[in-house]
Amino acid sequence: CRFSQMLHPIFEEASNVIKEEYPDKNQVVFARVDCDQHSDIAQRYRISKYPTLKLFRNGMMMKREYRGQRSVTAIADYIRQQKSNPIREVQDLEEISSLDVSVPVLFLLWIFFNVELWNLFYLSVARLAYWLVCCRAISKAERFSGDNVIYKPPGENAPDMVYLGSLTNFDLIYAWTQDKCVPLVREITFENGEELTEEGLPFLILFHMKDDLESLEKFQQEVARQLIGEKGTINFLHADCDKFRHPLLHIQKTPADCPVIAIDSFRHMYVFPDFSDLSVPGKLKQFVLDLHSGKLHREFHHGPDPTDVAPGQPIQDLASSPPESSFQKLAPSEHRYTLLREKDEL
């Protein structure tokens, strides 16, 4: 791969720069994998384009790949950022009340400096969120039930949430933290589109005008009410329809038609019939279930299932295929995504 050959000396020089700053080989390790010879590794981590730079922390692959500049300085700076301390110790509880409430995720960790617990948080989940550590002396009032972790969501009136699991169980802490750090409905942008696609889950997308917060709030509420059990089988997203005109064109829509809800299965795109039906109990959930069962695909190609047709009504045979996915990968030789190409056109 020509691009891999171009990156090789840059990657090696960056590793030498970091090695001088962090001589302990257990702190930072640079490694290369020949995916031709080790296809099992490439398959395990779903590597499909080259070169790919992935970060592993304590044996766990981080979802976000390195997508910065392919230069020695940029790669070295990225590692320095990863090595910076993400935990801030608070000496005065008043500091908490003066914090910027716009911080997307805020965790308050009321705990004294137990080495084992400190290492657990620092090494496992600290980088998923913004952590504040309050030492035992000043957090005594908050520790009436012992050491605990509190999630403080943004907003002045949002209630705090207390972690009720074991403080020494990594899997529980990580799952709880990740659940709080990753919103149920995320915004898809040109910057994170490739990353979301690589998660391998179909998209349920609300296309809306940027200032149409009412539709977004309604969508978020119905996703939480109807589809919380589908989390992990489909990604819930919202997109600025003015920026993502290209996917709308795939489903024969324009920003004037928004808000519009659609599913992108990475094979085809399917449109939710009517946004006004969003609050109809079970309607949105059935839309997603029809994707999983293959019904959406069948109906696009062959018309409504016989069981869905009223007596005497002919079954429609659709000659045309459903709209193709607008977010899927292009041919491997191009190493591009449709949505990223759209950004270039803008």
Side-chain angles (χ1 to χ4, degrees):
C1 170
R2 180 169 65 92
F3 296 105
S4 298
Q5 292 173 352
M6 292 170 58
L7 180 60
H8 180 197
I10 296 173
F11 189 72
E12 189 167 352
E13 186 177 348
S15 72
N16 292 331
V17 171
I18 292 299
K19 185 177 180 180
E20 292 182 3
E21 298 182 27
Y22 303 97
D24 185 348
K25 64 180 182 180
N26 293 323
Q27 286 192 323
V28 181
V29 175
F30 279 69
R32 291 188 296 123
V33 177
D34 185 334
C35 292
D36 284 330
Q37 295 194 10
H38 302 283
S39 58
D40 57 327
I41 296 178
Q43 185 176 4
R44 184 190 314 168
Y45 296 110
R46 296 193 288 187
I47 307 300
S48 58
K49 59 187 187 303
Y50 308 94
T52 293
L53 296 179
K54 284 188 174 288
L55 176 70
F56 287 76
R57 187 179 299 282
N58 306 300
M60 294 181 60
M61 184 183 74
M62 301 293 101
K63 284 186 176 181
R64 179 167 297 180
E65 297 178 3
Y66 173 77
R67 294 189 174 88
Q69 292 183 347
R70 303 297 174 91
S71 68
V72 174
T73 301
I75 294 175
D77 286 343
Y78 173 73
I79 296 300
R80 293 186 190 102
Q81 292 172 6
Q82 296 299 315
K83 290 295 294 179
S84 63
N85 191 344
I87 301 177
R88 170 183 167 187
E89 180 183 352
V90 178
Q91 299 295 342
D92 188 339
L93 290 180
E94 292 184 0
E95 290 183 46
I96 299 173
S97 59
S98 63
L99 287 173
D100 181 4
V101 295
S102 65
V103 176
V105 180
L106 174 64
F107 284 83
L108 307 183
L109 172 61
W110 310 103
I111 196 169
F112 69 98
F113 289 102
N114 176 295
V115 175
E116 179 184 359
L117 296 182
W118 173 267
N119 288 337
L120 175 67
F121 281 103
Y122 182 80
L123 296 177
S124 61
V125 297
R127 292 190 181 278
L128 288 175
Y130 176 30
W131 289 87
L132 290 177
V133 178
C134 301
C135 62
R136 187 172 189 175
I138 66 169
S139 62
K140 185 176 180 180
E142 301 287 345
R143 297 180 63 258
F144 57 88
S145 59
D147 296 331
N148 57 75
V149 181
I150 298 175
Y151 165 57
K152 184 177 180 61
E156 296 181 359
N157 300 320
D160 295 348
M161 300 179 65
V162 180
Y163 170 70
L164 301 176
S166 169
L167 286 172
T168 57
N169 188 313
F170 167 79
D171 291 334
L172 288 178
I173 293 174
Y174 187 81
W176 184 83
T177 307
Q178 196 170 45
D179 180 65
K180 298 298 178 292
C181 287
V182 181
L184 184 60
V185 178
R186 292 177 283 178
E187 181 179 11
I188 184 169
T189 64
F190 292 125
E191 288 71 28
N192 69 359
E194 188 174 0
E195 179 184 338
L196 290 171
T197 303
E198 287 173 351
E199 293 183 10
L201 299 176
F203 295 165
L204 176 67
I205 311 176
L206 167 69
F207 294 94
H208 66 107
M209 299 301 292
K210 186 176 181 180
D211 58 354
D212 182 11
L213 301 181
E214 182 179 349
S215 296
L216 174 58
E217 184 178 358
K218 186 175 182 180
F219 179 69
Q220 291 172 328
Q221 290 174 349
E222 292 305 320
V223 167
R225 181 179 294 117
Q226 300 186 39
L227 295 172
I228 191 67
E230 295 300 318
K231 185 178 180 181
T233 67
I234 188 168
N235 274 330
F236 310 117
L237 307 171
H238 68 99
D240 182 341
C241 62
D242 198 42
K243 291 183 178 179
F244 286 91
R245 291 171 177 262
H246 184 67
L248 284 173
L249 289 175
H250 275 243
I251 54 177
Q252 300 181 339
K253 300 289 185 180
T254 69
D257 299 313
C258 290
V260 172
I261 297 174
I263 285 179
D264 191 327
S265 69
F266 297 156
R267 294 179 64 189
H268 302 296
M269 293 187 72
Y270 309 99
V271 184
F272 186 70
D274 193 331
F275 181 82
S276 62
D277 291 338
L278 180 61
S279 57
V280 175
K283 191 86 171 182
L284 186 63
K285 182 176 182 177
Q286 190 60 53
F287 184 52
V288 173
L289 294 179
D290 287 346
L291 168 73
H292 295 325
S293 70
K295 182 178 180 180
L296 292 181
H297 186 79
R298 290 194 308 272
E299 290 191 340
F300 259 107
H301 285 285
H302 308 294
D305 285 350
T307 55
D308 295 337
V309 179
Q313 180 181 349
I315 299 176
Q316 181 184 9
D317 184 14
L318 299 184
S320 60
S321 297
E324 292 185 354
S325 165
S326 185
F327 295 93
Q328 67 186 135
K329 294 180 182 179
L330 298 179
S333 61
E334 296 184 55
H335 299 293
R336 300 288 290 166
Y337 284 70
T338 304
L339 67 94
L340 297 181
R341 187 171 62 182
E342 180 188 351
K343 178 184 179 183
D344 296 336
E345 293 172 356
L346 289 176

